């Protein structure tokens, strides 16, 4: 499908390669939590099988020194994940949308030319968006309600903000409008251009066409700061905070999985410790996704959702690390001491 739409020759090949590269960025970001967790567990198992773990015990290497590379790798992973979430993935998606590369429509919240309903306090709006990033509505039908009965009906060819700042920021102009007031069944009468206060931030429409997961960091910050939004709009604040803390949560999860693996390995066989560590890692990844869904639906405050996973993983790391250091103390206490020869 992609090759057919790209055409033949070198240009078609380059188009296909561009598609594969952009899709790889998108899919890679989604797969990063599971891939990172698997990588950390695999490296720990390989370290044990190579005999380095036994060498560490013989040489008396402390857990603090053994954990240092894990913390460094987790910190680099957190930075990488944050960059992918907030820069690489949104940039790749925007390129796919702008160039109409295959599957671009799955990243769009409102497809151009399709009618959508937007609810605001006291009114409903049915309209289309002419293009992704457009700042106006087309083919508009506006219904104002009092006591659940439509009192004003406006049909217009377009609806655009009068001003993007100042006291008129919520004033919208209905172009080519037809109006009916307080009488159901009566025909609409031409009304020219009308201006009406509509509680929708003018900056929302150019940004809202792209789904929150693929918004740029600046666009998501702008959406999160808006107060005049249609009812049922995505929880942009929750998306913003989760994007900012997602890399940190992933890094902390990998640290916990490593410490969990090392604790289990002291008491169990390598296959059992590996299986339990993978189960714990998958449980952490599932918890991250569940918190994201909770944040999307506004079941908890955005700050509580965004900080929930990092706080949980920090507590788990503290418990696991304490057990590891306690094991070091017990091991040192059980080592035979050299006694000085009698004089």
């Amino acid at each position: 499908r992609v090759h057919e739409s790209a055409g033949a020759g070198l240009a078609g090949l380059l188009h296909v390669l561009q598609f594969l590269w952009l899709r790889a960025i998108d899919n890679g970001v989604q797969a990063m939590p599971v891939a990172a967790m698997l990588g950390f567990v695999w490296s720990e198992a390989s370290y044990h099988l190579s005999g380095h773990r036994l060498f560490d015990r013989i040489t008396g290497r402390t857990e603090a020194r053994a954990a240092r590379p894990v913390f460094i790798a987790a910190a680099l992973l957190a930075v990488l994940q944050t960059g992918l979430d907030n820069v690489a993935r949104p940039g790749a998606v925007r390129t796919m949308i702008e160039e109409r590369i295959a599957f671009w429509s799955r990243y769009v919240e409102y497809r151009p030319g399709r009618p959508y309903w937007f609810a605001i306090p006291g009114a409903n709006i049915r309209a289309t968006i002419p293009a992704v990033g457009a700042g106006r509505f087309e083919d508009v039908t506006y219904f104002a309600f009092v006591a659940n009965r439509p009192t004003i009906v406006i049909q217009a060819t377009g609806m655009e903000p009068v001003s993007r700042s100042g006291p008129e920021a919520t004033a919208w102009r209905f172009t080519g409008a037809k109006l009916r007031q307080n009488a159901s069944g009566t025909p609409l009468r031409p009304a020219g251009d009308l201006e009406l206060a509509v509680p929708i931030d003018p900056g929302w429409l150019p940004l809202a066409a792209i789904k929150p997961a693929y918004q740029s960091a600046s666009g998501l910050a702008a959406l999160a700061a808006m107060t005049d939004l249609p009812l049922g709009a995505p929880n942009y604040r929750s998306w913003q905070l989760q994007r900012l803390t997602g890399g940190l949560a992933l890094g902390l999860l990998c640290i916990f999985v490593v410490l969990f693996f090392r604790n289990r390995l002291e008491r169990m066989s390598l296959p059992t410790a590996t299986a339990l560590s993978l189960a714990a890692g998958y449980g952490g990844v599932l918890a991250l996704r569940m918190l994201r869904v909770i944040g999307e639906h506004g079941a908890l405050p955005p700050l509580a959702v965004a900080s929930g996973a990092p706080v949980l993983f920090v507590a788990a790391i503290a418990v696991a690390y304490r057990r590891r250091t306690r094991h070091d103390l017990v091991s040192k206490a059980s080592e035979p001491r050299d006694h000085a020869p009698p004089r």
Side-chain angles (χ1 to χ4, degrees):
R1 177 181 175 183
V2 177
H3 180 70
E4 291 177 355
S5 63
L10 180 60
L13 177 60
L14 293 176
H15 186 86
V16 172
L17 292 177
Q18 181 188 30
F19 165 76
L20 294 176
W21 168 246
L22 297 175
R23 286 288 293 167
I25 294 175
D26 178 33
N27 293 331
V29 172
Q30 298 180 64
M32 180 66 77
V34 174
M37 184 269 298
L38 291 175
F40 273 77
V41 173
W42 175 82
S43 65
E44 283 296 308
S46 300
Y47 194 79
H48 175 78
L49 289 173
S50 66
H52 286 84
R53 182 72 62 205
L54 179 61
F55 180 78
D56 290 344
R57 292 181 182 177
I58 295 174
T59 57
R61 190 183 189 191
T62 63
E63 182 59 33
R65 291 184 59 189
R68 191 177 304 164
V70 177
F71 279 85
I72 295 175
L76 294 176
L77 174 64
V79 173
L80 174 62
Q81 181 68 30
T82 302
L84 290 174
D85 278 337
N86 294 280
V87 180
R89 190 186 191 190
V93 168
R94 179 166 292 277
T95 299
M96 294 183 70
I97 293 175
E98 290 177 351
E99 299 188 13
R100 294 296 191 269
I101 298 176
F103 304 115
W104 67 271
S105 60
R106 69 173 55 186
Y107 305 112
V108 174
E109 191 79 44
Y110 305 110
R111 295 192 62 175
R114 288 190 178 183
Y116 293 95
W117 286 93
F118 304 92
I120 58 176
N124 287 334
I125 301 172
R126 184 181 184 273
T128 63
I129 298 175
V132 176
R136 63 190 303 272
F137 294 103
E138 290 184 350
D139 300 325
V140 181
T141 304
Y142 175 91
F143 301 90
F145 294 89
V146 174
N148 294 326
R149 298 185 62 182
T151 57
I152 298 177
V153 178
I154 300 175
Q155 288 184 355
T157 57
M159 175 181 166
E160 57 190 20
V162 175
S163 174
R164 296 188 178 275
S165 62
E168 295 183 339
T170 58
W172 288 72
R173 180 181 295 109
F174 294 80
T175 58
K178 296 181 180 179
L179 174 68
R180 182 175 68 225
Q181 289 181 283
N182 300 324
S184 60
T186 58
L188 296 169
R189 56 180 179 82
D193 293 347
L194 297 176
E195 290 187 9
L196 191 67
V198 179
I200 297 179
D201 193 299
W204 172 78
L205 188 55
L207 296 173
I210 300 178
K211 293 180 179 180
Y214 312 110
Q215 288 282 349
S216 64
S218 59
L220 198 55
L223 289 167
M226 296 177 186
T227 55
D228 294 326
L229 300 173
L231 302 177
N235 195 329
Y236 297 113
R237 176 66 66 184
S238 182
W239 275 102
Q240 180 194 29
L241 294 178
Q242 288 188 71
R243 287 254 296 266
L244 292 175
T245 60
L248 174 63
L250 178 58
L252 293 172
L253 171 61
C254 291
I255 294 174
F256 164 70
V257 169
V258 169
L259 295 177
F260 183 87
F261 176 86
R262 294 178 180 180
N263 286 335
R264 299 283 75 77
L265 196 59
E266 297 295 336
R267 305 175 183 179
M268 304 172 182
S269 64
L270 177 61
T272 304
T274 303
L276 291 176
S277 300
L278 291 176
Y282 279 114
V285 173
L286 180 61
L288 291 175
R289 294 185 177 179
M290 289 179 61
L291 285 172
R292 174 168 293 183
V293 172
I294 292 173
E296 290 176 16
H297 291 82
L300 291 175
L303 184 58
V305 173
S307 61
V311 170
L312 176 64
F313 293 149
V314 166
I317 289 170
V319 173
Y321 188 78
R322 183 179 179 184
R323 290 183 178 179
R324 290 297 302 161
T325 53
R326 182 183 301 173
H327 179 268
D328 282 346
L329 295 175
V330 172
S331 299
K332 289 182 179 181
S334 61
E335 291 177 355
R337 299 181 180 179
D338 295 332
H339 297 281
R343 294 180 179 178

